[in-house]
Amino acid sequence: METKTTDEEEVKEAVKLEASEIEYVSYGGEHHLPLIMALVDSELSEPYSIFTYRYFVYLWPQLSFLAFHGGKCVGTVVCKMGEHRNTFRGYIAMLVVIKPYRGRGIATELVTRSIQVMMESGCEEVTLEAEVTNKGALALYGRLGFVRAKRLFRYYLNGVDAFRLKLLFPSPLLHPSLAMVADKDDGNWHNDHIPIEECSEVH
Amino acid sequence: MEAKPPPAAADEASTAVPDGRSSTIPSGENTVWVDVSLLLDAACRDLEDGELIHGDNFNLFAAMSALEIMDPKMDSGMVCKYYSVDEAIENGAAPVPISSDKTVDVRCTIDIMDHLLACEATWHKGHSVSQTVFSCIYLLRTDRTSSHVLLHSYCRIIRATCKAVISVVSDARTHEEEDLFTMSYGLPLSGDGDDKCLSVLNAVEETICRQLRACKAPSSRRKVLEDIEPLQTNLALEEGYCKALLCRLRFRKHFYHVLTCLRRPQGRGLELARKHIASCISELECILSSSEFLRTSASGACEDGLEDKTTASGCQPVGFDANLNSRLSAPTPPRAIQILSWNEAVKYFMRLLHDLDVLCSYSLDSSLESVLHFVVQFQKSQPDLVARAHLQLLLVQDGKLHGRDPVFAVITRAAALPEATRNHDIQKNEFIVQLGQLVINLLKILCTNSAWQRRKLGKIIQDWRVIYLQLEMAFKECGENSNVSNEENSIVKIFQHILVWVEEQTYWIASRFLILGFELELYSPNEYCMVYWYLYVALVKLAEKTHLKMAVTNGAGKRRGKKKRDTPKDVAKDYRIPPAVLFLQCQICLAEGLTMMLAALRNEHGILETRSPFNTEYERFIQHFELLQKASIPDHVSYPSFKESTTYARFSNILMYNYFKDAQRIVKEVKSSFSNEPDKLAELRRLEQVAEHNSIALNVISRVGTLDPSLKVSFEFNHHPYFATAVVKRS
Ligand SMILES: CC(C)(COP(=O)(O)OP(=O)(O)OC[C@H]1O[C@@H](n2cnc3c(N)ncnc32)[C@H](O)[C@@H]1OP(=O)(O)O)[C@@H](O)C(=O)NCCC(=O)NCCS
């Protein structure tokens, strides 16, 4: 995901709260859509059309989560999953927590829930892209077991490279020589965050 | 998403109605036009919030390509000032002359030149040529400028230059993910008589030279020169403007020469290219120093010079409109792009010229080993696309190395076979032919950007493995059939050499693949241990094969090389070991030392240990090395072997087998063998520094480590790009 450049320091006007005050809910319908859109729109630089949001939340409502604090939506994650070159893989499309609520594990909890569902649904791996400069996101995913599988040259329109991150789930059947990923060339759609290979699947 | 398909309505409902569709399309044999408005209305009333009518091919790509019209973030707008070049011209967006005031006209011409330079650099850096260089209206209609010789000659050389650069990049086909670069549909790239652009430019240069001489001459001599009309009307500015123009024109001329010289076959133009590069650099310097004059003479005409201005004067140039071509630009919706500043553009060209100069210093060595060394060295500074494309065309022309050495000759030399072998009939063997293609392919891949390069290297490792197995089979067959006739014997010998070399080359690729991961920052510190371990195993194999190859050549040690690897200590004592192998030994010591140190830190201090909630270290190992594992590089090496060699690592042991001390010793021994190779000497010095620092760190950790639980150890790349140095801190 391409992110807006923000000064991390200005975030310090943090909110006092207990972890238990945050409520996590799975995507529950059209009334959640404006909340997700407002959040993503405010934090990620690239605009998404409403079709894009609906594409995700209508097809995989079980993979999208929202975090609320006292009725206010403070974070969200949007994902998909599907067959990809003979692998059933999950894909994290958007992840956002608003600034005053960062650094309290909310994003970690949100993605963990999505990944959990992906794992239970039979995904073999989870992928996403992150800007090489997005230290926060890279640290967060690193702690969850994601590996930087490759670097995508000038992936974003702003000329910044991206990492393709991958989380491989353990599999009792996995034998190194049979392992997945028959990688073809990466399609590169300079124009947007979500890579063409994620886009070109037919459902 | 629910599809509600009255099929005829599906297209109408999507945002993209193909244009040109109209009722003039006749009905077919079994079809007839029907008004579906009512049906549509009914369907709309049926739709719930969030539902969508779509065709079968509506996928994420389609969803993301959709624009929400009038959303300021999404809709960059097709509304622009002008809808066509003609309309822009009619409205005076690109007047010829630019001004009836000669001084203003010259000033504006210089601004156009500068902005074009900025556009050109922006293009080279990854934007489309149509939205950058060809945002210049004058360039889109060069015929209009023929009365304005200055502008005209400049536009023509720019156009010819663009064409030359596009041709280099598309011929090299290194354009990787950078396809945008060569996309130039619909642009007037070829003009009549562009081959004459240099003579036109020379004529203009000549005139300005005379004007410059005239204005500098003492007034007594002016009379003689009277027939020379000055460049413009303000005499106080005449000299400054003449000079500013001259360096700009000369830069273009020399740059064009550089491009053509570099394309001469078999590197024959390199020496001359170098001279033109030097001239380019000195003209660029003049261009830079002209900016003060241009800024002061333009003051009043422009806002205060900001850093992001695209011209030396700081003025906005006349005659550009980036929106005119936005529909031609790319397979993506048009976006506004940021043109590099004039300062950045000059910097870009300085760098490009420097890279090209390094290229020209290359001596077209026919030994594959030195070619590979040169390419790796060249890539260290991460040159941009244009320089890399030239590199590739220099290395590979007509399927030959440097357009000169047949691949088989290159292979026999690399495999240390006698000179005469290069004409042997074995080169017609299908696997040998394939091997030749792999070599050419490898050279091309090594010229691409490192992100792309690493991915490609990961894939071709498999090909190298397969060709090895095929050659081995072919070798066995001819071994069985041979009746020890001399001829057959020599075939056996050739195969034998080539096999060893193919393995060596495969391990070279594998280690390059692993090393590039550091440059690309693909490894996080808690993975360093496994990465250094893998690098260690790959380097050991590489050293073994290199040694074997050299031993086979000297006829002495066919058997010796095949025996199990000597420990670094024994090896280093053996004076017969070639320096190239010792060089690798030194890296092996560092890789092994780092592996063990990292493992001990984890085993004894719990440092750099990570527990992920969803997977284990095994999965991360697989993810990083699966391409190597699939190709059995090396054989019998897998996660369990990694665990086996690291689980029991302890500081007490590492101190006993001090790998870093070994590395230091080898460096001392081998230095003198490389006294003529400054690159390698510098590399040895870096390795030595890493060894030295890690050796000290090791001592510190084992002395205070157990007593002080607050010990912090981190790893930095301050002495070497991929061998880390441990930094110990007590908190
Ligand atoms: C990335 C983002 C979602 C993280 O949200 P968050 O709720 O603060 O994340 P968490 O609190 O769960 O962080 C978990 C861990 O990630 C790491 N991390 C998160 N933000 C970090 C930062 N700015 N710098 C360094 N590490 C960071 C830390 O290891 C942190 O653990 P710790 O707090 O115990 O040290 C949030 O910063 C955001 O919305 N950024 C803008 C949008 C974006 O970049 N999205 C991701 C695109 S791929």
Side-chain angles (χ1 to χ4, degrees):
Chain A
M1 259 166 275
E2 190 174 359
T3 49
K4 284 183 179 168
T5 35
T6 49
D7 185 7
E8 290 292 336
E9 289 312 305
E10 75 189 52
V11 180
K12 293 306 169 210
E13 32 117 0
V15 185
K16 285 216 159 50
L17 82 161
E18 299 280 316
S20 59
E21 290 175 44
I22 302 288
E23 198 196 342
Y24 297 91
V25 297
S26 179
Y27 178 76
E30 196 71 14
H31 63 289
H32 278 157
L33 201 55
L35 302 176
I36 295 178
M37 288 172 62
L39 232 57
V40 175
D41 211 39
S42 69
E43 292 299 337
L44 301 180
S45 63
E46 201 70 16
Y48 295 110
S49 77
I50 188 157
F51 296 122
T52 308
Y53 293 101
R54 286 212 173 105
Y55 177 83
F56 288 108
V57 298
Y58 274 50
L59 286 168
W60 301 278
Q62 77 280 21
L63 297 182
S64 290
F65 291 90
L66 297 90
F68 287 94
H69 177 238
K72 179 181 168 192
C73 181
V74 299
T76 187
V77 63
V78 174
C79 311
K80 64 175 258 180
M81 59 188 176
E83 198 68 36
H84 181 88
R85 292 179 193 144
N86 301 323
T87 312
F88 196 62
R89 68 148 64 150
Y91 178 76
I92 300 173
M94 308 168 195
L95 170 68
V96 169
V97 171
I98 57 172
K99 283 185 202 136
Y101 289 84
R102 289 187 190 168
R104 304 153 188 283
I106 297 176
T108 305
E109 180 63 27
L110 284 166
V111 269
T112 300
R113 286 180 185 233
S114 300
I115 295 172
Q116 196 71 41
V117 179
M118 292 174 186
M119 196 158 78
E120 286 157 7
S121 319
C123 284
E124 294 149 74
E125 57 178 7
V126 183
T127 71
L128 71 126
E129 290 81 34
E131 256 177 70
V132 297
T133 47
N134 192 343
K135 295 267 182 307
L138 292 173
L140 184 160
Y141 288 115
R143 288 171 25 146
L144 291 172
F146 282 82
V147 156
R148 299 172 199 176
K150 49 183 82 156
R151 193 175 175 119
L152 307 164
F153 184 66
R154 284 198 200 132
Y155 186 69
Y156 295 107
L157 203 67
N158 58 13
V160 175
D161 292 359
F163 287 124
R164 159 93 24 87
L165 303 183
K166 267 191 192 174
L167 173 77
L168 179 65
F169 290 131
S171 146
L173 301 172
L174 191 75
H175 182 275
S177 65
L178 297 176
M180 7 56 35
V181 191
D183 268 77
K184 278 198 276 157
D185 291 356
D186 285 79
N188 196 22
W189 192 18
H190 276 264
N191 217 24
D192 255 307
H193 317 138
I194 298 174
I196 198 158
E197 62 173 48
E198 290 300 332
C199 298
S200 55
E201 289 163 41
V202 181
H203 291 278
Chain B
M1 249 167 278
E2 231 168 285
K4 301 223 166 182
D11 271 354
E12 303 290 329
S14 75
T15 45
V17 179
D19 47 30
R21 165 103 98 75
S22 75
S23 55
T24 55
I25 298 175
S27 310
E29 245 170 58
N30 299 312
T31 57
V32 63
W33 285 102
V34 174
D35 184 352
V36 293
S37 315
L38 287 178
L39 187 63
L40 257 185
D41 278 347
C44 283
R45 260 177 272 122
D46 254 10
L47 283 175
E48 300 277 332
D49 202 5
E51 286 181 348
L52 168 77
I53 297 172
H54 64 78
D56 284 343
N57 58 351
F58 188 84
N59 57 12
L60 181 53
F61 186 83
M64 294 194 55
S65 313
L67 296 179
E68 275 170 50
I69 297 196
M70 304 309 280
D71 176 325
K73 264 166 110 187
M74 234 177 275
D75 184 1
S76 74
M78 294 308 273
V79 184
C80 34
K81 219 164 158 196
Y82 308 113
Y83 289 90
S84 70
V85 181
D86 294 325
E87 190 187 334
I89 291 168
E90 264 164 45
N91 284 281
V96 183
I98 309 164
S99 166
S100 53
D101 177 333
K102 276 230 148 197
T103 308
V104 176
D105 190 73
V106 166
R107 198 190 72 212
C108 290
T109 307
I110 295 175
D111 287 340
I112 292 171
M113 293 173 169
D114 287 349
H115 188 77
L116 274 170
L117 188 81
C119 284
E120 198 180 359
T122 310
W123 169 45
H124 286 197
K125 281 290 203 178
H127 288 283
S128 72
V129 71
S130 63
Q131 275 192 293
T132 53
V133 180
F134 280 87
S135 65
C136 178
I137 298 171
Y138 294 108
L139 209 53
L140 289 166
R141 292 278 192 282
T142 35
D143 45 322
R144 289 179 60 243
T145 52
S146 45
S147 61
H148 196 302
V149 277
L150 193 53
L151 190 56
H152 190 66
S153 62
Y154 198 84
C155 284
R156 279 173 65 173
I157 189 89
I158 285 274
R159 192 167 63 182
T161 304
C162 287
K163 206 175 155 193
V165 168
I166 288 178
S167 123
V168 173
V169 173
S170 37
D171 287 356
R173 270 184 265 146
T174 55
H175 33 116
E176 309 142 28
E177 290 135 293
E178 300 157 275
D179 289 345
L180 206 55
F181 191 90
T182 48
M183 212 172 286
S184 53
Y185 310 122
L187 296 176
L189 260 177
S190 330
D192 286 340
D194 269 359
D195 42 333
K196 275 183 246 124
C197 67
L198 275 178
S199 52
V200 179
L201 197 69
N202 282 331
V204 176
E205 185 191 335
E206 184 54 34
T207 311
I208 299 176
C209 264
R210 265 191 258 137
Q211 288 164 329
L212 177 62
R213 247 179 280 132
C215 79
K216 281 168 84 175
S219 45
S220 56
R221 281 193 56 218
R222 284 256 166 90
K223 279 243 151 48
V224 195
L225 299 160
E226 204 123 85
D227 58 326
I228 294 168
E229 199 188 321
L231 177 66
Q232 41 84 55
T233 45
N234 187 339
L235 277 184
L237 302 178
E238 179 78 356
E239 182 181 347
Y241 277 135
C242 283
K243 283 183 170 168
L245 279 174
L246 274 178
C247 54
R248 282 165 173 76
L249 296 174
R250 286 174 179 156
F251 170 76
R252 297 284 19 153
K253 179 176 76 178
H254 290 298
F255 190 63
Y256 188 75
H257 277 306
V258 170
L259 295 175
T260 40
C261 288
L262 281 172
R263 301 269 346 229
R264 296 234 189 114
Q266 306 183 8
R268 283 194 209 111
L270 293 190
E271 213 172 305
L272 190 55
R274 236 179 157 177
K275 287 186 187 140
H276 286 295
I277 289 171
S279 309
C280 271
I281 291 176
S282 83
E283 296 303 337
L284 260 187
E285 274 156 6
C286 293
I287 293 177
L288 263 182
S289 52
S290 72
S291 78
E292 200 180 320
F293 163 77
L294 292 172
R295 246 181 291 128
T296 43
S297 59
S299 66
C302 322
E303 327 86 274
D304 280 310
L306 284 165
E307 273 308 291
D308 56 354
K309 285 287 183 320
T310 60
T311 57
S313 69
C315 296
Q316 196 65 32
V318 174
F320 289 84
D321 188 336
N323 283 326
L324 281 177
N325 289 319
S326 60
R327 268 155 282 200
L328 290 176
S329 55
T332 56
R335 307 249 168 166
I337 63 166
Q338 180 77 43
I339 299 290
L340 289 181
S341 75
W342 181 74
N343 273 318
E344 285 168 320
V346 173
K347 247 188 242 149
Y348 167 79
F349 275 99
M350 280 290 191
R351 192 156 163 218
L352 173 63
L353 289 162
H354 171 78
D355 288 338
L356 294 177
D357 192 50
V358 174
L359 204 60
C360 294
S361 70
Y362 175 58
S363 61
L364 264 64
D365 198 319
S366 348
S367 115
L368 186 64
E369 195 193 336
S370 29
V371 173
L372 296 181
H373 179 73
F374 177 78
V375 179
V376 169
Q377 208 58 29
F378 184 73
Q379 287 273 31
K380 272 191 185 148
S381 64
Q382 308 192 342
D384 285 304
L385 179 63
V386 176
R388 282 187 280 107
H390 276 291
L391 171 66
Q392 198 214 284
L393 287 182
L394 189 62
L395 294 187
V396 182
Q397 289 166 18
D398 309 324
K400 292 181 186 161
L401 180 65
H402 310 129
R404 187 186 66 191
D405 307 313
V407 200
F408 187 64
V410 175
I411 292 175
T412 51
R413 184 163 170 187
L417 280 161
E419 182 71 21
T421 326
R422 55 188 299 168
N423 299 320
H424 199 284
D425 258 2
I426 198 173
Q427 61 187 298
K428 294 185 188 129
N429 175 299
E430 64 172 310
F431 300 121
I432 298 286
V433 171
Q434 275 179 34
L435 180 64
Q437 282 159 358
L438 288 188
V439 171
I440 294 292
N441 199 20
L442 173 65
L443 287 173
K444 288 184 176 177
I445 289 171
L446 290 173
C447 298
T448 62
N449 74 57
S450 25
W452 180 263
Q453 186 187 144
R454 184 174 193 270
R455 266 180 275 159
K456 289 286 172 193
L457 289 178
K459 281 166 200 167
I460 62 165
I461 283 175
Q462 186 82 37
D463 304 339
W464 280 79
R465 191 66 192 174
V466 169
I467 202 76
Y468 175 81
L469 297 173
Q470 287 169 328
L471 284 167
E472 199 180 35
M473 290 225 309
F475 174 40
K476 279 203 188 111
E477 271 166 32
C478 80
E480 276 159 18
N481 299 341
S482 84
N483 298 330
V484 207
S485 79
N486 253 346
E487 170 63 1
E488 286 297 331
N489 229 350
S490 94
I491 289 188
V492 169
K493 191 172 147 219
I494 292 171
F495 264 122
Q496 197 182 18
H497 275 254
I498 289 182
L499 277 174
V500 174
W501 170 73
V502 169
E503 279 204 291
E504 182 196 12
Q505 199 52 54
T506 311
Y507 286 112
W508 185 89
I509 297 171
S511 54
R512 177 106 185 111
F513 171 82
L514 290 168
I515 289 165
L516 276 175
F518 284 103
E519 185 183 306
L520 297 169
E521 296 171 277
L522 292 180
Y523 311 129
S524 68
N526 55 40
E527 293 155 0
Y528 287 168
C529 186
M530 57 168 100
V531 175
Y532 282 120
W533 179 79
Y534 220 113
L535 183 61
Y536 158 75
V537 211
L539 287 173
V540 165
K541 284 290 193 178
L542 176 58
E544 190 183 309
K545 301 301 167 193
T546 308
H547 199 175
L548 182 58
K549 182 184 78 180
M550 292 177 155
V552 170
T553 319
N554 301 335
K558 278 180 204 166
R559 218 147 292 115
R560 262 214 59 214
K562 278 206 178 109
K563 85 180 178 203
K564 236 182 157 351
R565 186 183 72 88
D566 302 333
T567 72
K569 283 196 182 91
D570 305 336
V571 169
K573 272 185 206 128
D574 187 341
Y575 64 92
R576 280 168 306 177
I577 295 181
V581 178
L582 281 174
F583 198 100
L584 287 169
Q585 287 293 354
C586 183
Q587 298 183 314
I588 291 171
C589 290
L590 288 187
E592 190 174 17
L594 279 163
T595 307
M596 291 307 171
M597 180 148 93
L598 285 153
L601 276 173
R602 177 162 143 167
N603 295 339
E604 293 185 58
H605 300 272
I607 292 176
L608 291 178
E609 196 172 23
T610 38
R611 286 188 205 298
S612 133
F614 296 107
N615 63 12
T616 65
E617 192 184 44
Y618 170 69
E619 279 76 30
R620 271 170 270 156
F621 184 93
I622 295 297
Q623 292 241 276
H624 271 307
F625 310 121
E626 87 187 318
L627 291 170
L628 300 176
Q629 291 275 294
K630 267 200 265 185
S632 311
I633 307 279
D635 260 331
H636 312 301
V637 155
S638 59
Y639 185 69
S641 15
F642 163 62
K643 283 321 265 183
E644 209 173 285
S645 36
T646 52
T647 310
Y648 303 106
R650 292 288 178 279
F651 279 104
S652 50
N653 294 337
I654 306 177
L655 278 179
M656 256 163 60
Y657 307 103
N658 198 326
Y659 310 97
F660 300 121
K661 285 248 155 38
D662 281 343
Q664 280 172 277
R665 199 168 34 74
I666 299 176
V667 171
K668 288 214 173 61
E669 272 182 45
V670 83
K671 252 184 188 162
S672 57
S673 323
F674 292 101
S675 46
N676 300 328
E677 294 171 78
D679 286 348
K680 296 212 168 133
L681 265 189
E683 172 68 7
L684 277 174
R685 225 166 281 129
R686 282 189 290 268
L687 296 175
E688 191 176 25
Q689 281 182 329
V690 175
E692 225 171 85
H693 282 86
N694 282 337
S695 194
I696 296 168
L698 199 61
N699 274 319
V700 175
I701 300 168
S702 44
R703 246 187 303 115
V704 298
T706 35
L707 309 171
D708 186 355
S710 71
L711 202 69
K712 290 252 185 311
V713 184
S714 57
F715 287 83
E716 287 175 11
F717 295 93
N718 43 6
H719 296 293
H720 194 276
Y722 53 90
F723 285 116
T725 320
V727 179
V728 188
K729 282 198 186 104
R730 299 165 85 162
S731 48

